[in-house]
């Protein structure tokens, strides 16, 4: 059998198995299907997906390098807790890159791109709060489309490699935070790009990516066992972040 499906996750055995397992397990960790400190059994996963233990071991190594799993000698492999500081660092880098992307797009004018983005906004509005997985896919597509439109698609690939901890928090916040507000922020970005309002597009993107600074402390309070750095931000740093202006 070439295709193996386990609880909605499909593995194509005609292709290299290890990268597929890495993508599947990464997605399950980010979506909180595999929660922080869950134990990952190499033989059990190999049996679950009908593969040998070698590709599972290789997938574990790549996930370990990404900070998503940890190997404890004599104890096993576990899903890492969310690294609070890594979330903040990833957000900082995303803002720097994507604010420049928004600025570039607004300075050039992109009628076809705006049309595509507006179609995406319509799809986003059709997603209910009960479908965080689907909205996250559409959200990723929206930001990737912006990077592609600016001719810097590789920058999005770079961001994907560093924002896994941020994505874990984002997925949790979709359950706690009104998706409608995120869509409104997306719409403001598109409007400023369409109007060729350079500063407006940049500021709208910065405000959008700073939203997590408001929700992150609350998410940590709700799920303290999910986080590695339980102290989070000091009161002084929280105040500084909350006072930031786009």
């Amino acid at each position: 059998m070439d295709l193996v499906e386990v609880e909605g996750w499909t593995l194509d055995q005609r292709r290299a198995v290890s990268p597929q397992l890495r993508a599947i397990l990464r997605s399950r960790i980010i979506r909180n299907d595999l929660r922080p400190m869950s134990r990952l059994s190499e033989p059990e996963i190999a049996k679950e997906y009908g593969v040998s233990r070698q590709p599972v071991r290789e997938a574990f190594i790549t996930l370990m390098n990404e900070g998503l799993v940890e190997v404890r000698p004599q104890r096993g492999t576990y899903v890492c807790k969310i690294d609070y500081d890594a979330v903040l660092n990833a957000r900082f880098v995303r803002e720097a890159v994507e604010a420049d992307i928004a600025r570039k797009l607004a300075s050039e004018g992109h009628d076809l791109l705006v049309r595509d983005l507006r179609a995406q906004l319509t799809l986003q509005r059709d997603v209910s709060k009960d479908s965080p997985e689907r909205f996250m896919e559409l959200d990723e597509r929206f930001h990737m489309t912006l990077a592609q439109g600016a001719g810097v698609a590789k920058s999005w690939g770079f961001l994907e490699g560093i924002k896994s901890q941020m994505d874990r928090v984002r997925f949790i916040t979709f359950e706690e935070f009104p998706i409608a507000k995120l869509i409104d922020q997306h719409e403001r970005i598109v409007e400023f790009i369409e109007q060729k309002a350079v500063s407006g597009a940049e500021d709208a993107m910065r405000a959008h990516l700073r939203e997590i600074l408001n929700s992150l402390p609350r998410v940590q309070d709700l799920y303290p066992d999910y986080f590695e750095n339980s102290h989070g931000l000091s009161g002084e740093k929280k105040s500084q972040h909350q006072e930031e202006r786009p």
Side-chain angles (χ1 to χ4, degrees):
M1 185 174 181
D2 293 327
L3 298 177
V4 177
E5 183 171 340
V6 181
E7 296 181 354
W9 304 94
T10 303
L11 187 68
D12 187 348
Q13 296 185 333
R14 295 168 298 185
R15 298 163 43 216
V17 172
S18 178
Q20 293 182 78
L21 275 176
R22 175 262 176 191
I24 291 171
L25 294 175
R26 181 183 186 276
S27 183
R28 292 180 65 184
I29 291 171
I30 287 174
R31 294 165 185 259
N32 205 36
D33 180 47
L34 294 172
R35 299 187 176 186
M37 299 312 299
S38 297
R39 189 176 186 277
L40 301 178
S41 168
E42 188 177 295
E44 287 179 8
I45 290 177
K47 181 179 180 180
E48 182 179 16
Y49 288 99
V51 299
S52 68
R53 294 175 62 171
Q54 180 61 32
V56 178
R57 190 175 302 118
E58 292 172 355
F60 281 179
I61 291 173
T62 58
L63 292 170
M64 182 175 63
N65 292 335
E66 199 172 342
L68 291 176
V69 305
E70 60 177 325
V71 178
R72 297 184 176 183
Q74 310 304 320
R75 296 183 61 185
T77 301
Y78 295 82
V79 176
C80 290
K81 291 187 176 183
I82 299 171
D83 189 323
Y84 200 107
D85 293 334
V87 174
L88 295 179
N89 288 329
R91 189 219 63 82
F92 181 83
V93 174
R94 276 198 70 177
E95 180 181 327
V97 173
E98 295 201 61
D100 200 49
I101 287 174
R103 186 178 186 88
K104 184 176 187 294
L105 290 171
S107 66
E108 296 172 347
H110 292 267
D111 293 340
L112 291 178
L113 175 66
V114 167
R115 190 179 308 166
D116 182 9
L117 292 172
R118 290 203 177 280
Q120 291 187 33
L121 289 173
T122 298
L123 289 176
Q124 290 176 22
R125 292 191 189 94
D126 290 338
V127 174
S128 70
K129 189 177 181 179
D130 295 330
S131 305
E133 296 97 340
R134 179 56 178 153
F135 179 78
M136 191 167 184
E137 292 172 0
L138 294 174
D139 181 71
E140 292 280 303
R141 177 183 168 188
F142 178 83
H143 287 273
M144 181 176 65
T145 300
L146 292 172
Q148 292 172 336
V152 289
K154 288 185 178 180
S155 69
W156 181 253
F158 168 75
L159 290 175
E160 282 190 309
I162 67 170
K163 67 186 184 70
S164 56
Q165 300 291 352
M166 183 179 179
D167 286 343
R168 297 173 76 184
V169 174
R170 288 171 60 226
F171 191 83
I172 297 173
T173 58
F174 286 153
E175 301 175 0
E176 306 293 336
F177 189 79
I179 290 177
K181 185 173 182 180
L182 299 178
I183 298 173
D184 288 343
Q185 291 173 347
H186 284 171
E187 186 164 15
R188 283 180 58 81
I189 294 168
V190 175
E191 287 175 351
F192 282 124
I193 291 173
E194 184 177 33
Q195 296 166 8
K196 298 184 180 179
V198 176
S199 295
E202 178 182 351
D203 290 349
M205 180 62 78
R206 290 187 186 278
H208 177 56
L209 294 176
R210 288 178 185 179
E211 194 65 55
I212 195 173
L213 295 175
N214 298 321
S215 58
L216 182 55
R218 186 178 67 198
V219 170
Q220 188 184 35
D221 287 341
L222 290 171
Y223 305 92
D225 294 339
Y226 284 16
F227 287 85
E228 180 65 35
N229 302 322
S230 59
H231 61 281
L233 294 173
S234 67
E236 180 181 356
K237 287 184 177 180
K238 281 184 182 179
S239 297
Q240 290 174 352
H241 281 297
Q242 290 170 351
E243 291 172 2
E244 280 186 306
R245 303 287 185 194

PDB file of all heavy atoms in Angstrom, residues 19 26 28 33 53 77 80 92 95 97 99-100 114-115 123 134 139 156 158 184 192 200 218 222-223 227 237 246:
ATOM      1  N   PRO A  19      11.292  13.196   5.604  1.00  0.00           N
ATOM      2  CA  PRO A  19      10.775  14.569   5.548  1.00  0.00           C
ATOM      3  C   PRO A  19       9.264  14.635   5.765  1.00  0.00           C
ATOM      4  O   PRO A  19       8.764  15.602   6.356  1.00  0.00           O
ATOM      5  CB  PRO A  19      11.151  15.027   4.131  1.00  0.00           C
ATOM      6  CG  PRO A  19      12.293  14.163   3.729  1.00  0.00           C
ATOM      7  CD  PRO A  19      12.007  12.836   4.372  1.00  0.00           C
ATOM      8  N   ARG A  26       5.703  17.745  13.059  1.00  0.00           N
ATOM      9  CA  ARG A  26       5.824  19.186  13.319  1.00  0.00           C
ATOM     10  C   ARG A  26       4.442  19.829  13.360  1.00  0.00           C
ATOM     11  O   ARG A  26       4.135  20.623  14.248  1.00  0.00           O
ATOM     12  CB  ARG A  26       6.682  19.850  12.237  1.00  0.00           C
ATOM     13  CG  ARG A  26       6.890  21.358  12.441  1.00  0.00           C
ATOM     14  CD  ARG A  26       7.679  21.943  11.275  1.00  0.00           C
ATOM     15  NE  ARG A  26       8.009  23.334  11.514  1.00  0.00           N
ATOM     16  CZ  ARG A  26       7.198  24.365  11.253  1.00  0.00           C
ATOM     17  NH1 ARG A  26       5.991  24.140  10.760  1.00  0.00           N
ATOM     18  NH2 ARG A  26       7.591  25.613  11.504  1.00  0.00           N
ATOM     19  N   ARG A  28       1.600  18.362  13.966  1.00  0.00           N
ATOM     20  CA  ARG A  28       0.855  17.882  15.125  1.00  0.00           C
ATOM     21  C   ARG A  28       1.303  18.585  16.408  1.00  0.00           C
ATOM     22  O   ARG A  28       0.491  18.842  17.301  1.00  0.00           O
ATOM     23  CB  ARG A  28       1.030  16.365  15.259  1.00  0.00           C
ATOM     24  CG  ARG A  28       0.356  15.567  14.149  1.00  0.00           C
ATOM     25  CD  ARG A  28       0.553  14.077  14.340  1.00  0.00           C
ATOM     26  NE  ARG A  28      -0.118  13.600  15.564  1.00  0.00           N
ATOM     27  CZ  ARG A  28      -0.034  12.353  16.002  1.00  0.00           C
ATOM     28  NH1 ARG A  28       0.684  11.448  15.327  1.00  0.00           N
ATOM     29  NH2 ARG A  28      -0.664  11.997  17.097  1.00  0.00           N
ATOM     30  N   ASP A  33      -1.816  18.890  18.876  1.00  0.00           N
ATOM     31  CA  ASP A  33      -2.271  17.511  18.878  1.00  0.00           C
ATOM     32  C   ASP A  33      -1.303  16.672  19.721  1.00  0.00           C
ATOM     33  O   ASP A  33      -1.712  15.733  20.409  1.00  0.00           O
ATOM     34  CB  ASP A  33      -2.343  16.984  17.442  1.00  0.00           C
ATOM     35  CG  ASP A  33      -2.811  15.550  17.376  1.00  0.00           C
ATOM     36  OD1 ASP A  33      -3.816  15.236  18.040  1.00  0.00           O
ATOM     37  OD2 ASP A  33      -2.183  14.743  16.670  1.00  0.00           O
ATOM     38  N   ARG A  53      12.118   2.186  11.830  1.00  0.00           N
ATOM     39  CA  ARG A  53      12.466   3.144  12.871  1.00  0.00           C
ATOM     40  C   ARG A  53      13.460   4.194  12.390  1.00  0.00           C
ATOM     41  O   ARG A  53      13.544   5.282  12.976  1.00  0.00           O
ATOM     42  CB  ARG A  53      13.016   2.405  14.100  1.00  0.00           C
ATOM     43  CG  ARG A  53      11.955   1.541  14.769  1.00  0.00           C
ATOM     44  CD  ARG A  53      12.518   0.715  15.900  1.00  0.00           C
ATOM     45  NE  ARG A  53      13.050   1.524  16.977  1.00  0.00           N
ATOM     46  CZ  ARG A  53      13.434   1.032  18.163  1.00  0.00           C
ATOM     47  NH1 ARG A  53      13.296  -0.278  18.404  1.00  0.00           N
ATOM     48  NH2 ARG A  53      13.922   1.813  19.100  1.00  0.00           N
ATOM     49  N   THR A  77      12.133  10.406  24.206  1.00  0.00           N
ATOM     50  CA  THR A  77      11.994  11.645  23.436  1.00  0.00           C
ATOM     51  C   THR A  77      10.671  12.305  23.804  1.00  0.00           C
ATOM     52  O   THR A  77       9.631  11.641  23.850  1.00  0.00           O
ATOM     53  CB  THR A  77      12.023  11.350  21.922  1.00  0.00           C
ATOM     54  OG1 THR A  77      13.262  10.708  21.589  1.00  0.00           O
ATOM     55  CG2 THR A  77      11.904  12.633  21.116  1.00  0.00           C
ATOM     56  N   CYS A  80       8.977  19.347  23.340  1.00  0.00           N
ATOM     57  CA  CYS A  80       9.477  20.449  24.159  1.00  0.00           C
ATOM     58  C   CYS A  80       8.333  21.369  24.581  1.00  0.00           C
ATOM     59  O   CYS A  80       7.329  21.501  23.879  1.00  0.00           O
ATOM     60  CB  CYS A  80      10.492  21.289  23.384  1.00  0.00           C
ATOM     61  SG  CYS A  80      12.066  20.470  23.083  1.00  0.00           S
ATOM     62  N   PHE A  92       9.898  39.312  16.608  1.00  0.00           N
ATOM     63  CA  PHE A  92      10.724  40.472  16.302  1.00  0.00           C
ATOM     64  C   PHE A  92      11.272  40.394  14.872  1.00  0.00           C
ATOM     65  O   PHE A  92      11.229  41.368  14.111  1.00  0.00           O
ATOM     66  CB  PHE A  92      11.879  40.555  17.302  1.00  0.00           C
ATOM     67  CG  PHE A  92      12.796  41.733  17.094  1.00  0.00           C
ATOM     68  CD1 PHE A  92      12.475  42.978  17.615  1.00  0.00           C
ATOM     69  CD2 PHE A  92      13.974  41.604  16.371  1.00  0.00           C
ATOM     70  CE1 PHE A  92      13.313  44.069  17.432  1.00  0.00           C
ATOM     71  CE2 PHE A  92      14.809  42.678  16.177  1.00  0.00           C
ATOM     72  CZ  PHE A  92      14.479  43.921  16.702  1.00  0.00           C
ATOM     73  N   GLU A  95       8.437  40.803  12.259  1.00  0.00           N
ATOM     74  CA  GLU A  95       8.037  42.205  12.085  1.00  0.00           C
ATOM     75  C   GLU A  95       9.025  42.941  11.191  1.00  0.00           C
ATOM     76  O   GLU A  95       8.626  43.694  10.297  1.00  0.00           O
ATOM     77  CB  GLU A  95       7.931  42.902  13.435  1.00  0.00           C
ATOM     78  CG  GLU A  95       7.520  44.368  13.303  1.00  0.00           C
ATOM     79  CD  GLU A  95       7.423  45.087  14.632  1.00  0.00           C
ATOM     80  OE1 GLU A  95       7.054  44.454  15.633  1.00  0.00           O
ATOM     81  OE2 GLU A  95       7.712  46.306  14.665  1.00  0.00           O
ATOM     82  N   VAL A  97      11.027  41.771   8.874  1.00  0.00           N
ATOM     83  CA  VAL A  97      10.961  41.315   7.490  1.00  0.00           C
ATOM     84  C   VAL A  97       9.641  41.712   6.831  1.00  0.00           C
ATOM     85  O   VAL A  97       9.616  42.276   5.725  1.00  0.00           O
ATOM     86  CB  VAL A  97      11.154  39.779   7.418  1.00  0.00           C
ATOM     87  CG1 VAL A  97      10.926  39.275   5.994  1.00  0.00           C
ATOM     88  CG2 VAL A  97      12.551  39.398   7.892  1.00  0.00           C
ATOM     89  N   ALA A  99       7.273  43.916   7.725  1.00  0.00           N
ATOM     90  CA  ALA A  99       7.001  45.350   7.617  1.00  0.00           C
ATOM     91  C   ALA A  99       7.672  45.907   6.374  1.00  0.00           C
ATOM     92  O   ALA A  99       7.112  46.755   5.664  1.00  0.00           O
ATOM     93  CB  ALA A  99       7.488  46.080   8.860  1.00  0.00           C
ATOM     94  N   ASP A 100       8.872  45.421   6.076  1.00  0.00           N
ATOM     95  CA  ASP A 100       9.582  45.867   4.881  1.00  0.00           C
ATOM     96  C   ASP A 100       8.885  45.355   3.622  1.00  0.00           C
ATOM     97  O   ASP A 100       8.835  46.044   2.595  1.00  0.00           O
ATOM     98  CB  ASP A 100      11.031  45.371   4.930  1.00  0.00           C
ATOM     99  CG  ASP A 100      11.945  46.172   4.011  1.00  0.00           C
ATOM    100  OD1 ASP A 100      11.897  47.418   4.074  1.00  0.00           O
ATOM    101  OD2 ASP A 100      12.695  45.561   3.231  1.00  0.00           O
ATOM    102  N   VAL A 114      -3.468  42.654  -5.137  1.00  0.00           N
ATOM    103  CA  VAL A 114      -4.548  43.130  -4.275  1.00  0.00           C
ATOM    104  C   VAL A 114      -5.823  42.342  -4.544  1.00  0.00           C
ATOM    105  O   VAL A 114      -6.553  41.969  -3.621  1.00  0.00           O
ATOM    106  CB  VAL A 114      -4.783  44.645  -4.480  1.00  0.00           C
ATOM    107  CG1 VAL A 114      -6.096  45.079  -3.830  1.00  0.00           C
ATOM    108  CG2 VAL A 114      -3.615  45.434  -3.910  1.00  0.00           C
ATOM    109  N   ARG A 115      -6.101  42.056  -5.813  1.00  0.00           N
ATOM    110  CA  ARG A 115      -7.288  41.280  -6.162  1.00  0.00           C
ATOM    111  C   ARG A 115      -7.218  39.882  -5.544  1.00  0.00           C
ATOM    112  O   ARG A 115      -8.210  39.376  -5.003  1.00  0.00           O
ATOM    113  CB  ARG A 115      -7.404  41.179  -7.686  1.00  0.00           C
ATOM    114  CG  ARG A 115      -8.727  40.612  -8.180  1.00  0.00           C
ATOM    115  CD  ARG A 115      -8.748  40.569  -9.698  1.00  0.00           C
ATOM    116  NE  ARG A 115      -8.404  41.873 -10.279  1.00  0.00           N
ATOM    117  CZ  ARG A 115      -8.078  42.063 -11.549  1.00  0.00           C
ATOM    118  NH1 ARG A 115      -8.059  41.023 -12.384  1.00  0.00           N
ATOM    119  NH2 ARG A 115      -7.778  43.267 -11.996  1.00  0.00           N
ATOM    120  N   LEU A 123     -12.346  34.313   1.799  1.00  0.00           N
ATOM    121  CA  LEU A 123     -12.238  32.957   2.334  1.00  0.00           C
ATOM    122  C   LEU A 123     -12.012  32.980   3.838  1.00  0.00           C
ATOM    123  O   LEU A 123     -12.585  32.174   4.580  1.00  0.00           O
ATOM    124  CB  LEU A 123     -11.078  32.218   1.649  1.00  0.00           C
ATOM    125  CG  LEU A 123     -11.270  31.826   0.188  1.00  0.00           C
ATOM    126  CD1 LEU A 123      -9.995  31.191  -0.358  1.00  0.00           C
ATOM    127  CD2 LEU A 123     -12.440  30.863   0.032  1.00  0.00           C
ATOM    128  N   ARG A 134      -8.107  25.566   9.750  1.00  0.00           N
ATOM    129  CA  ARG A 134      -8.314  26.129   8.410  1.00  0.00           C
ATOM    130  C   ARG A 134      -7.905  27.596   8.358  1.00  0.00           C
ATOM    131  O   ARG A 134      -7.287  28.041   7.387  1.00  0.00           O
ATOM    132  CB  ARG A 134      -9.781  25.968   8.011  1.00  0.00           C
ATOM    133  CG  ARG A 134     -10.131  26.531   6.636  1.00  0.00           C
ATOM    134  CD  ARG A 134      -9.288  25.935   5.542  1.00  0.00           C
ATOM    135  NE  ARG A 134      -9.672  26.448   4.228  1.00  0.00           N
ATOM    136  CZ  ARG A 134      -8.856  26.529   3.184  1.00  0.00           C
ATOM    137  NH1 ARG A 134      -7.608  26.122   3.285  1.00  0.00           N
ATOM    138  NH2 ARG A 134      -9.292  26.993   2.024  1.00  0.00           N
ATOM    139  N   ASP A 139      -4.191  32.031   6.920  1.00  0.00           N
ATOM    140  CA  ASP A 139      -3.313  33.078   7.430  1.00  0.00           C
ATOM    141  C   ASP A 139      -1.900  32.916   6.880  1.00  0.00           C
ATOM    142  O   ASP A 139      -1.264  33.885   6.444  1.00  0.00           O
ATOM    143  CB  ASP A 139      -3.304  33.037   8.960  1.00  0.00           C
ATOM    144  CG  ASP A 139      -2.424  34.114   9.557  1.00  0.00           C
ATOM    145  OD1 ASP A 139      -2.806  35.303   9.488  1.00  0.00           O
ATOM    146  OD2 ASP A 139      -1.346  33.784  10.086  1.00  0.00           O
ATOM    147  N   TRP A 156      10.178  34.162   3.143  1.00  0.00           N
ATOM    148  CA  TRP A 156       9.130  33.449   3.871  1.00  0.00           C
ATOM    149  C   TRP A 156       9.607  32.066   4.267  1.00  0.00           C
ATOM    150  O   TRP A 156       9.314  31.583   5.370  1.00  0.00           O
ATOM    151  CB  TRP A 156       7.855  33.351   3.037  1.00  0.00           C
ATOM    152  CG  TRP A 156       6.752  32.650   3.770  1.00  0.00           C
ATOM    153  CD1 TRP A 156       6.266  31.406   3.547  1.00  0.00           C
ATOM    154  CD2 TRP A 156       6.032  33.155   4.904  1.00  0.00           C
ATOM    155  NE1 TRP A 156       5.279  31.102   4.464  1.00  0.00           N
ATOM    156  CE2 TRP A 156       5.112  32.163   5.293  1.00  0.00           C
ATOM    157  CE3 TRP A 156       6.075  34.365   5.608  1.00  0.00           C
ATOM    158  CZ2 TRP A 156       4.251  32.331   6.371  1.00  0.00           C
ATOM    159  CZ3 TRP A 156       5.204  34.526   6.673  1.00  0.00           C
ATOM    160  CH2 TRP A 156       4.312  33.522   7.041  1.00  0.00           C
ATOM    161  N   PHE A 158      12.623  31.334   4.995  1.00  0.00           N
ATOM    162  CA  PHE A 158      13.499  31.560   6.144  1.00  0.00           C
ATOM    163  C   PHE A 158      12.666  31.739   7.415  1.00  0.00           C
ATOM    164  O   PHE A 158      12.980  31.177   8.462  1.00  0.00           O
ATOM    165  CB  PHE A 158      14.359  32.808   5.904  1.00  0.00           C
ATOM    166  CG  PHE A 158      15.084  33.301   7.118  1.00  0.00           C
ATOM    167  CD1 PHE A 158      16.205  32.639   7.590  1.00  0.00           C
ATOM    168  CD2 PHE A 158      14.635  34.425   7.805  1.00  0.00           C
ATOM    169  CE1 PHE A 158      16.874  33.088   8.726  1.00  0.00           C
ATOM    170  CE2 PHE A 158      15.287  34.878   8.934  1.00  0.00           C
ATOM    171  CZ  PHE A 158      16.419  34.201   9.400  1.00  0.00           C
ATOM    172  N   ASP A 184      -9.650  41.754  10.143  1.00  0.00           N
ATOM    173  CA  ASP A 184      -9.720  43.215   9.984  1.00  0.00           C
ATOM    174  C   ASP A 184      -8.322  43.805   9.808  1.00  0.00           C
ATOM    175  O   ASP A 184      -8.123  44.730   9.010  1.00  0.00           O
ATOM    176  CB  ASP A 184     -10.396  43.855  11.196  1.00  0.00           C
ATOM    177  CG  ASP A 184     -11.895  43.585  11.247  1.00  0.00           C
ATOM    178  OD1 ASP A 184     -12.463  43.196  10.202  1.00  0.00           O
ATOM    179  OD2 ASP A 184     -12.490  43.764  12.325  1.00  0.00           O
ATOM    180  N   PHE A 192      -4.055  49.602   2.520  1.00  0.00           N
ATOM    181  CA  PHE A 192      -2.925  50.528   2.418  1.00  0.00           C
ATOM    182  C   PHE A 192      -2.034  50.193   1.228  1.00  0.00           C
ATOM    183  O   PHE A 192      -1.499  51.096   0.566  1.00  0.00           O
ATOM    184  CB  PHE A 192      -2.108  50.509   3.712  1.00  0.00           C
ATOM    185  CG  PHE A 192      -2.726  51.297   4.834  1.00  0.00           C
ATOM    186  CD1 PHE A 192      -2.991  50.704   6.059  1.00  0.00           C
ATOM    187  CD2 PHE A 192      -3.042  52.641   4.663  1.00  0.00           C
ATOM    188  CE1 PHE A 192      -3.568  51.427   7.091  1.00  0.00           C
ATOM    189  CE2 PHE A 192      -3.619  53.375   5.689  1.00  0.00           C
ATOM    190  CZ  PHE A 192      -3.880  52.771   6.911  1.00  0.00           C
ATOM    191  N   GLY A 200       1.458  53.720   5.977  1.00  0.00           N
ATOM    192  CA  GLY A 200       0.274  53.055   6.509  1.00  0.00           C
ATOM    193  C   GLY A 200       0.389  51.551   6.417  1.00  0.00           C
ATOM    194  O   GLY A 200       0.022  50.834   7.361  1.00  0.00           O
ATOM    195  N   ARG A 218      -1.409  36.326  28.464  1.00  0.00           N
ATOM    196  CA  ARG A 218      -2.672  35.709  28.848  1.00  0.00           C
ATOM    197  C   ARG A 218      -2.663  34.209  28.550  1.00  0.00           C
ATOM    198  O   ARG A 218      -3.149  33.400  29.353  1.00  0.00           O
ATOM    199  CB  ARG A 218      -3.830  36.382  28.101  1.00  0.00           C
ATOM    200  CG  ARG A 218      -5.201  35.893  28.540  1.00  0.00           C
ATOM    201  CD  ARG A 218      -6.291  36.643  27.796  1.00  0.00           C
ATOM    202  NE  ARG A 218      -6.293  36.314  26.381  1.00  0.00           N
ATOM    203  CZ  ARG A 218      -6.890  37.052  25.443  1.00  0.00           C
ATOM    204  NH1 ARG A 218      -7.490  38.178  25.768  1.00  0.00           N
ATOM    205  NH2 ARG A 218      -6.870  36.677  24.183  1.00  0.00           N
ATOM    206  N   LEU A 222      -3.023  31.011  31.115  1.00  0.00           N
ATOM    207  CA  LEU A 222      -4.013  29.947  30.946  1.00  0.00           C
ATOM    208  C   LEU A 222      -3.379  28.567  30.830  1.00  0.00           C
ATOM    209  O   LEU A 222      -3.957  27.568  31.262  1.00  0.00           O
ATOM    210  CB  LEU A 222      -4.860  30.228  29.691  1.00  0.00           C
ATOM    211  CG  LEU A 222      -5.828  31.410  29.756  1.00  0.00           C
ATOM    212  CD1 LEU A 222      -6.421  31.693  28.388  1.00  0.00           C
ATOM    213  CD2 LEU A 222      -6.940  31.122  30.765  1.00  0.00           C
ATOM    214  N   TYR A 223      -2.176  28.509  30.236  1.00  0.00           N
ATOM    215  CA  TYR A 223      -1.492  27.231  30.006  1.00  0.00           C
ATOM    216  C   TYR A 223      -0.067  27.292  30.538  1.00  0.00           C
ATOM    217  O   TYR A 223       0.904  27.142  29.778  1.00  0.00           O
ATOM    218  CB  TYR A 223      -1.473  26.904  28.511  1.00  0.00           C
ATOM    219  CG  TYR A 223      -2.830  26.884  27.850  1.00  0.00           C
ATOM    220  CD1 TYR A 223      -3.355  28.032  27.246  1.00  0.00           C
ATOM    221  CD2 TYR A 223      -3.604  25.723  27.831  1.00  0.00           C
ATOM    222  CE1 TYR A 223      -4.605  28.017  26.632  1.00  0.00           C
ATOM    223  CE2 TYR A 223      -4.852  25.704  27.226  1.00  0.00           C
ATOM    224  CZ  TYR A 223      -5.344  26.853  26.630  1.00  0.00           C
ATOM    225  OH  TYR A 223      -6.582  26.844  26.032  1.00  0.00           O
ATOM    226  N   PHE A 227       4.776  26.170  28.891  1.00  0.00           N
ATOM    227  CA  PHE A 227       5.896  27.062  28.615  1.00  0.00           C
ATOM    228  C   PHE A 227       7.150  26.675  29.382  1.00  0.00           C
ATOM    229  O   PHE A 227       7.098  26.293  30.554  1.00  0.00           O
ATOM    230  CB  PHE A 227       5.509  28.508  28.955  1.00  0.00           C
ATOM    231  CG  PHE A 227       4.543  29.108  27.969  1.00  0.00           C
ATOM    232  CD1 PHE A 227       3.177  28.900  28.101  1.00  0.00           C
ATOM    233  CD2 PHE A 227       4.990  29.870  26.903  1.00  0.00           C
ATOM    234  CE1 PHE A 227       2.283  29.440  27.194  1.00  0.00           C
ATOM    235  CE2 PHE A 227       4.102  30.410  25.987  1.00  0.00           C
ATOM    236  CZ  PHE A 227       2.745  30.199  26.132  1.00  0.00           C
ATOM    237  N   LYS A 237       9.356  44.842  31.249  1.00  0.00           N
ATOM    238  CA  LYS A 237       9.365  44.533  29.826  1.00  0.00           C
ATOM    239  C   LYS A 237       7.953  44.477  29.271  1.00  0.00           C
ATOM    240  O   LYS A 237       7.706  44.885  28.146  1.00  0.00           O
ATOM    241  CB  LYS A 237      10.087  43.201  29.578  1.00  0.00           C
ATOM    242  CG  LYS A 237      11.597  43.297  29.752  1.00  0.00           C
ATOM    243  CD  LYS A 237      12.264  41.991  29.392  1.00  0.00           C
ATOM    244  CE  LYS A 237      13.778  42.099  29.505  1.00  0.00           C
ATOM    245  NZ  LYS A 237      14.440  40.825  29.148  1.00  0.00           N
ATOM    246  N   PRO A 246       3.021  51.246  16.649  1.00  0.00           N
ATOM    247  CA  PRO A 246       3.429  50.857  15.290  1.00  0.00           C
ATOM    248  C   PRO A 246       3.957  52.066  14.549  1.00  0.00           C
ATOM    249  O   PRO A 246       3.604  53.196  14.869  1.00  0.00           O
ATOM    250  CB  PRO A 246       2.115  50.336  14.671  1.00  0.00           C
ATOM    251  CG  PRO A 246       1.031  50.977  15.457  1.00  0.00           C
ATOM    252  CD  PRO A 246       1.567  51.163  16.851  1.00  0.00           C
TER     253      PRO A 246
END
